[in-house]
Amino acid sequence: MNCAIRMAAVFAGIVLAGSAVADEKFRISIETAPNHFRNMTVDRFAADMAKRVPGLKIEIYHSAQLHPDRDVPKALRQGTIEMGMPGTWQIDKVEPNAALIDLPAFFGLAEDMAYDVIDGPAGQKLNAMFERKLRVKILGPWLPLGFGNTYTTSRELRSLADLKGMKVRIPGGAINAERYKFLGANPVLVPWPDVPLALSQGTVEGVYTTFESVRSAQLWDSGLKHAFVERAALLPYVPMVNLAFWDKQKPEVQQHLLAAWKDAVAWGREDGRKRQVDAMKLAQSKGISVVQADQAELDRVRRAMLSIQPDLVKKMNMDQGLVDEVMGELKKAGAV
């Protein structure tokens, strides 16, 4: 009898986890195409959640079918979607500290230094800022797309000086714009779905993005011919869930969301690194030339660009204490 009662209790707990969100939609908005590694990571997360919480009605909207990424923070606050993964460059309009790893101090640095920031105390402080300002729950570690580089159509870049006068597409982000202006280029804001047309029509002569994004959109068909690898900044996506949705879930459902994302992002990070390498090789096979920026030039320009960083921090109303904390760590590492 006691055994039967225990089994019934276990079964009731399983049903509870599945029914706690029964008949509720869980809408996820993503700007990139279905074959992009971010989308594949989200697909993996959603498949896991479907097993963990069968009552959750997950709907994934790829290719900005619901919202371009720049509108995702607002959509989350308004509750028109339950989850999004905007890039930090699409968050800084609402929470300026999202631009932290776009600062000139990170220009041309090694990958591990940027990871130390987003996975360390500074990253945790940023998550808390995002949660307060955007009224969201951050599910866990960010998903880095990789380092942003400059890809061009007719002009092959051999050095940063060759950027002068070029019209370069940026995805957003105030510091992305100021960086290109400092280098003499003209930044143009273009949503990702509109990039192929902007390239083919000559609206822009280049794009700030990654090899994986070039591959996913097959931008060689839109006229891209050259890649200049300067590692301008790490481009991470931040997994966010609408806070009202999160707060009404039972603790076991919340734990399922956290655990499913933890598993998905571990796979996504590894897959992302591999994809950037494979995407570069594919781009080369499609006729795109690849020039690696000279590290001495990157170091020289980074130090010169630090001259505009204090004004950027003030204009954007960033947390000076947080910036100082991160700058201290970079100085210890000999990066600045």
Side-chain angles (χ1 to χ4, degrees):
M1 183 69 175
N2 290 339
C3 181
I5 292 175
R6 284 197 300 271
M7 290 299 293
V10 170
F11 179 77
I14 293 172
V15 171
L16 180 61
S19 64
V21 289
D23 298 323
E24 280 202 77
K25 288 184 178 180
F26 191 74
R27 296 159 294 186
I28 307 175
S29 178
I30 313 174
E31 182 178 87
T32 40
N35 65 343
H36 195 275
F37 97 107
R38 170 172 56 160
N39 302 58
M40 294 180 177
T41 302
V42 169
D43 286 343
R44 195 177 185 91
F45 164 79
D48 192 3
M49 280 303 300
K51 295 176 183 177
R52 291 171 177 269
V53 187
L56 192 61
K57 297 180 178 180
I58 302 172
E59 300 174 356
I60 303 176
Y61 295 88
H62 303 281
S63 303
Q65 290 174 307
L66 280 185
H67 303 286
D69 279 351
R70 67 169 183 260
D71 294 338
V72 162
K74 180 180 179 181
L76 284 165
R77 290 199 309 273
Q78 294 180 339
T80 58
I81 57 173
E82 283 65 54
M83 181 176 176
M85 287 181 62
T88 51
W89 58 96
Q90 280 132 353
I91 303 171
D92 68 8
K93 290 181 295 184
V94 181
E95 173 46 74
N97 291 292
L100 181 71
I101 60 171
D102 292 331
L103 287 172
F106 288 93
F107 183 78
L109 289 186
E111 182 182 83
D112 59 346
M113 294 185 181
Y115 271 82
D116 286 346
V117 171
I118 67 173
D119 289 337
Q124 294 305 309
K125 291 177 182 178
L126 285 171
N127 282 342
M129 291 174 177
F130 297 162
E131 289 181 338
R132 286 195 300 270
K133 187 67 67 74
L134 301 177
R135 301 292 297 165
V136 296
K137 171 66 180 177
I138 306 299
L139 287 186
W142 302 356
L143 179 68
L145 170 59
F147 273 94
N149 304 302
T150 305
Y151 303 81
T152 59
T153 51
S154 59
R155 188 189 303 187
E156 182 179 27
L157 305 180
R158 307 298 300 183
S159 76
L160 293 169
D162 295 333
L163 278 164
K164 289 182 180 178
M166 289 195 68
K167 293 181 293 183
V168 182
R169 172 266 177 183
I170 61 170
I175 294 180
N176 287 332
E178 293 302 320
R179 185 193 309 118
Y180 275 111
K181 289 178 184 178
F182 183 87
L183 296 170
N186 300 312
V188 181
L189 177 61
V190 180
W192 185 248
D194 299 332
V195 166
L197 186 61
L199 283 170
S200 61
Q201 291 187 341
T203 305
V204 294
E205 303 162 85
V207 295
Y208 173 59
T209 188
T210 72
F211 279 105
E212 164 63 6
S213 294
V214 169
R215 180 206 62 79
S216 69
Q218 300 181 10
L219 292 183
W220 46 80
D221 290 336
S222 301
L224 277 194
K225 296 178 181 177
H226 310 289
F228 185 67
V229 182
E230 77 265 43
R231 303 192 313 279
L234 188 67
L235 300 173
Y237 299 117
V238 184
M240 302 179 170
V241 169
N242 169 271
L243 187 61
F245 174 88
W246 172 266
D247 283 344
K248 68 181 176 182
Q249 304 310 315
K250 293 186 178 294
E252 59 267 32
V253 175
Q254 294 177 344
Q255 289 306 310
H256 282 312
L257 286 163
L258 296 174
W261 177 252
K262 182 179 179 181
D263 290 345
V265 74
W267 176 87
R269 284 190 170 192
E270 184 60 32
D271 185 63
R273 289 189 180 97
K274 181 178 181 296
R275 279 176 172 269
Q276 292 293 355
V277 174
D278 293 345
M280 182 178 71
K281 293 177 180 177
L282 178 60
Q284 289 175 303
S285 75
K286 297 294 184 179
I288 293 180
S289 66
V290 177
V291 174
Q292 298 284 339
D294 178 69
Q295 188 61 47
E297 182 187 26
L298 293 176
D299 293 341
R300 176 180 59 78
V301 171
R302 178 172 65 256
R303 294 188 181 99
M305 207 182 297
L306 285 174
S307 65
I308 68 171
Q309 182 166 299
D311 282 343
L312 287 174
V313 170
K314 288 180 182 179
K315 286 180 181 178
M316 295 188 65
N317 198 29
M318 295 176 68
D319 187 313
Q320 187 65 58
L322 181 60
V323 173
D324 291 343
E325 176 185 332
V326 170
M327 288 298 292
E329 293 300 317
L330 292 178
K331 286 177 182 177
K332 287 180 184 178
V336 296

